[in-house]
Amino acid sequence: MTNEILKGLGGTIPATLPNALRDHGLLVNTAMGLYGWGAELEAVYDGLTSALSAEIWDREPVVLRFPPILPRSVFEKSEYVASFPQLFGAVHAFQGDEYAHESLEQAVTKGEDWSDRTRLTDFVLAPAVCYSVYPLYSGNVVDGGKVVDASGFCFRHEPSTEPGRMVSFRLREFVTIGSPADASTWFGAWHRRSAAFVRRLGLDVRVEAASDPFFGTTGQIMAENQREEGMKAEVVVPIGGHPVAVASINYHRDHFGRIFDIRSTDGEPAHSACVGFGLERLAFALVAAHGPSTARWPHAVRELLWSGRPGAPESADLDPS
Amino acid sequence: MTNEILKGLGGTIPATLPNALRDHGLLVNTAMGLYGWGAELEAVYDGLTSALSAEIWDREPVVLRFPPILPRSVFEKSEYVASFPQLFGAVHAFQGDEYAHESLEQAVTKGEDWSDRTRLTDFVLAPAVCYSVYPLYSGNVVDGGKVVDASGFCFRHEPSTEPGRMVSFRLREFVTIGSPADASTWFGAWHRRSAAFVRRLGLDVRVEAASDPFFGTTGQIMAENQREEGMKAEVVVPIGGHPVAVASINYHRDHFGRIFDIRSTDGEPAHSACVGFGLERLAFALVAAHGPSTARWPHAVRELLWSGRPGAPESADLDPS
């Protein structure tokens, strides 16, 4: 019943999305790489959110949630532009008078390019959640491996019909900031822990060495170095026959400690590492593996996501048939 | 304990924010009008989310959640630019080669204005949630007053230190699309219902005729007309001595029906109305009224937000003292 509109629109969702998602109308598409979702997927996101909280609880994390927007000052400082200029989204706004407004309105109405009618604001779209975390520790000395549980919507400008590649998506990140030993121990431990978590969701898991999509020819060398030095790994699962990374584990060395002036107790720039989980991709993988009816998902998976909590979709059968 | 960073940063939150929020470190500020928040406020947002679900449950709504991004094509069609050019955020991206990248990077490093280095993408920031809803019904005939429960992050470019005026915030909207009678009945009913809901939160409530911040001199006339014709009302509560609108009720006549080609059964463009609740403002008002310790909030308010649900912050005392 709540699904009527989603079902009706199923046919317009890109054909490359997994069959389960397309046919069962769990999403509505609004543009390439951009989707709305219904109560059923929201229950899955809620379940993943609480199951992930249980994974980090023992570390007594600082829990922080962020809006989808990052201050431009933080973004500019972060050196993101140097590495990933092709991915960021900058927020522009109109700041003109009534004459300029009339001209803008005409350009929009005529379907002209109105790129030049706006100016850069003090805001960009958050490319990852942990960029909001580091500046909070600027000028601080951290000891014993600070742990932050952070989440929010992220944006990457890579519109695509590829399953799970979205321009706007939810990222849950566990971040540690501390000594080189703190960060590298964390990095190693989360290879195992993140794979174990995803495996408990009943998914086929591989952990692979990976690299970030650094821009240009220099970027290729940076990516090769990153891979050779084992600085990034991804937890990969199949979605509709495609291998898709649902989590990534990243060791930043002193990159953010240096940029944001965070030090460990020895006075050196702090090291940091993070593990990030893509909630949409995990949800899509769950539907692809276990079917669109969460009521029929394996008992252990349902327990992990909704153990004993009211709001578990016991009766909400996603399968319209 | 989870609050240590928030407390440490309390002093940098703008002084005009309510004392309770500033002193008790419920927020971290990242820029003017932009804040991160901790687990305590997230529990309040969760409580508001489920309490609002209970308000609309009887209407068997289509439940839709949306990312913070709206397709530019929908935005351009919506006529938002005509009315509120000062508020929208357009997403720009870099689409140049390695030479352009080098130049961009230099501009960023030197602190130059890099507005012209990016181009408009196919995406804008969602100015309101219901703009994602109407296009889903394009070409449809709706009967009996379709009801949609929609939510997501919205963006308005009005950076401010005013309490509760944020550039990025969560909006929960209940939308109806149908005949003129469906929409006007809804509009009238939600004057009472939204005020009653906010009153049950233990807040002092006024419902006031209101107008939207239409741009320019023509906009002033539009705002006056809107107010005279009683097309918009706001539910206003005090936050730290300031009157702040925590909900608005809006009657759009056939504006969206006409633009997005939605018809009612008589073949005419459908009418629509919506009520929107600002989750951050409601949460701030709750803290301002009942104090920073949710454990000490009135029993009836706690019941409304967290009735019997695990995860209710029984033991999480927001008061660091």
Side-chain angles (χ1 to χ4, degrees):
Chain A
M1 164 185 51
T2 62
N3 245 343
E4 67 186 283
I5 189 174
L6 301 129
K7 271 187 270 176
L9 290 157
T12 61
I13 292 175
T16 48
L17 266 182
N19 287 344
L21 293 171
R22 187 186 59 209
D23 297 347
H24 294 281
L26 299 180
L27 300 174
V28 293
N29 75 315
T30 64
M32 191 183 288
L34 196 64
Y35 306 93
W37 58 98
E40 301 87 348
L41 269 185
E42 187 72 4
V44 176
Y45 298 139
D46 283 348
L48 287 167
T49 295
S50 72
L52 283 165
S53 291
E55 292 292 308
I56 196 69
W57 196 252
D58 62 321
R59 292 298 301 268
E60 301 186 344
V62 174
V63 177
L64 289 169
R65 304 291 175 246
F66 292 97
I69 306 291
L70 186 70
R72 177 165 58 86
S73 58
V74 172
F75 173 75
E76 289 178 340
K77 204 170 179 179
S78 75
E79 300 179 0
Y80 194 90
V81 167
S83 297
F84 314 110
Q86 77 280 23
L87 293 179
F88 74 80
V91 181
H92 271 228
F94 171 78
Q95 292 165 43
D97 60 14
E98 293 193 49
Y99 293 101
H101 176 223
E102 198 177 319
S103 164
L104 167 69
E105 210 185 326
Q106 281 175 8
V108 170
T109 306
K110 288 182 190 163
E112 292 169 6
D113 182 351
W114 47 278
S115 288
D116 300 334
R117 315 278 176 150
T118 57
R119 305 300 294 173
L120 182 60
T121 67
D122 290 337
F123 307 102
V124 301
L125 289 160
V129 181
C130 61
Y131 287 84
S132 292
V133 171
Y134 306 115
L136 299 177
Y137 290 96
S138 268
N140 285 26
V141 174
V142 293
D143 59 350
K146 190 68 64 187
V147 175
V148 180
D149 166 356
S151 76
F153 271 94
C154 298
F155 178 90
R156 309 248 172 105
H157 190 241
E158 43 181 359
S160 166
T161 57
E162 191 183 321
R165 190 163 299 280
M166 304 166 95
V167 297
S168 181
F169 57 95
R170 280 185 270 203
L171 201 56
R172 177 78 172 271
E173 286 191 52
F174 302 148
V175 187
T176 197
I177 312 171
S179 69
D182 293 331
S184 63
T185 303
W186 173 274
F187 179 65
W190 277 100
H191 278 69
R192 294 185 298 278
R193 288 190 71 163
S194 56
F197 174 77
V198 177
R199 197 171 289 119
R200 285 167 64 210
L201 295 172
L203 303 174
D204 281 335
V205 175
R206 286 201 317 260
V207 179
E208 296 180 350
S211 59
D212 286 310
F214 293 102
F215 182 76
T217 43
T218 317
Q220 285 178 15
I221 300 165
M222 291 170 76
E224 279 163 31
N225 285 347
Q226 187 186 32
R227 191 181 288 266
E228 272 171 24
E229 295 176 15
M231 302 272 281
K232 185 184 181 78
E234 288 177 342
V235 178
V236 175
V237 304
I239 301 184
H242 300 73
V244 173
V246 291
S248 76
I249 312 113
N250 306 276
Y251 184 23
H252 317 122
R253 297 246 166 90
D254 66 355
H255 180 75
F256 293 111
R258 179 178 48 76
I259 287 173
F260 290 106
D261 185 28
I262 313 169
R263 299 188 175 269
S264 56
T265 45
D266 61 3
E268 294 297 312
H271 281 225
S272 64
C274 72
V275 53
F277 296 88
L279 293 198
E280 285 81 1
R281 289 183 175 186
L282 281 169
F284 295 0
L286 281 164
V287 173
H290 306 311
S293 167
T294 56
R296 292 180 215 155
W297 285 8
H299 179 74
V301 174
R302 292 180 48 82
E303 274 293 304
L304 180 58
L305 296 178
W306 302 294
S307 55
R309 290 189 307 129
E314 280 141 309
S315 54
D317 191 335
L318 304 191
D319 189 343
S321 65
Chain B
M1 165 184 53
T2 62
N3 245 344
E4 67 184 284
I5 189 175
L6 301 130
K7 270 187 271 176
L9 290 157
T12 62
I13 292 176
T16 48
L17 266 181
N19 287 345
L21 293 170
R22 189 187 59 209
D23 296 347
H24 295 280
L26 299 180
L27 300 174
V28 292
N29 74 314
T30 64
M32 192 185 287
L34 195 64
Y35 307 92
W37 59 98
E40 301 87 348
L41 268 185
E42 187 71 6
V44 176
Y45 298 139
D46 284 348
L48 287 168
T49 295
S50 72
L52 283 165
S53 292
E55 291 292 308
I56 196 69
W57 196 252
D58 62 319
R59 291 297 302 269
E60 300 186 345
V62 175
V63 177
L64 289 169
R65 304 290 175 249
F66 292 97
I69 307 290
L70 185 71
R72 177 164 59 87
S73 58
V74 172
F75 172 75
E76 290 178 340
K77 204 170 178 178
S78 75
E79 300 179 359
Y80 193 89
V81 166
S83 298
F84 314 110
Q86 78 280 24
L87 293 179
F88 74 80
V91 181
H92 271 229
F94 171 78
Q95 292 166 44
D97 60 13
E98 292 191 50
Y99 294 102
H101 177 223
E102 199 178 318
S103 164
L104 167 69
E105 211 186 326
Q106 281 174 7
V108 170
T109 307
K110 289 181 190 162
E112 293 169 5
D113 182 352
W114 47 277
S115 288
D116 300 334
R117 316 280 176 149
T118 57
R119 305 300 293 172
L120 183 60
T121 67
D122 290 338
F123 307 102
V124 300
L125 288 160
V129 181
C130 62
Y131 287 84
S132 292
V133 171
Y134 306 115
L136 299 175
Y137 289 97
S138 266
N140 285 26
V141 173
V142 293
D143 60 350
K146 189 68 64 187
V147 175
V148 179
D149 165 356
S151 76
F153 270 94
C154 298
F155 178 90
R156 309 246 173 105
H157 189 243
E158 43 182 358
S160 166
T161 57
E162 191 184 321
R165 188 163 300 281
M166 304 166 94
V167 296
S168 182
F169 57 94
R170 280 186 270 202
L171 201 55
R172 178 77 173 270
E173 286 191 51
F174 302 149
V175 187
T176 197
I177 312 171
S179 68
D182 292 331
S184 63
T185 303
W186 173 274
F187 180 65
W190 277 100
H191 278 68
R192 294 184 298 277
R193 288 191 70 162
S194 55
F197 174 76
V198 177
R199 198 170 289 119
R200 284 166 64 210
L201 295 172
L203 303 175
D204 281 336
V205 177
R206 285 203 317 260
V207 179
E208 296 180 351
S211 59
D212 285 310
F214 294 102
F215 182 76
T217 43
T218 318
Q220 285 177 14
I221 299 164
M222 292 170 74
E224 279 163 30
N225 285 346
Q226 186 187 32
R227 192 182 287 265
E228 273 171 22
E229 295 176 15
M231 303 273 282
K232 184 184 183 78
E234 287 177 341
V235 179
V236 175
V237 305
I239 300 184
H242 300 72
V244 174
V246 291
S248 76
I249 311 114
N250 306 276
Y251 184 22
H252 318 121
R253 297 246 166 90
D254 67 354
H255 180 76
F256 293 111
R258 178 178 50 74
I259 288 173
F260 291 106
D261 184 29
I262 314 170
R263 297 186 175 270
S264 57
T265 45
D266 60 4
E268 295 295 313
H271 281 224
S272 63
C274 72
V275 55
F277 296 88
L279 292 199
E280 284 81 0
R281 289 182 175 188
L282 282 169
F284 295 0
L286 281 164
V287 174
H290 305 311
S293 166
T294 57
R296 292 181 216 155
W297 286 7
H299 179 73
V301 174
R302 292 181 49 82
E303 274 292 304
L304 180 58
L305 296 177
W306 302 295
S307 54
R309 291 189 306 131
E314 280 141 309
S315 53
D317 192 335
L318 304 191
D319 190 342
S321 64

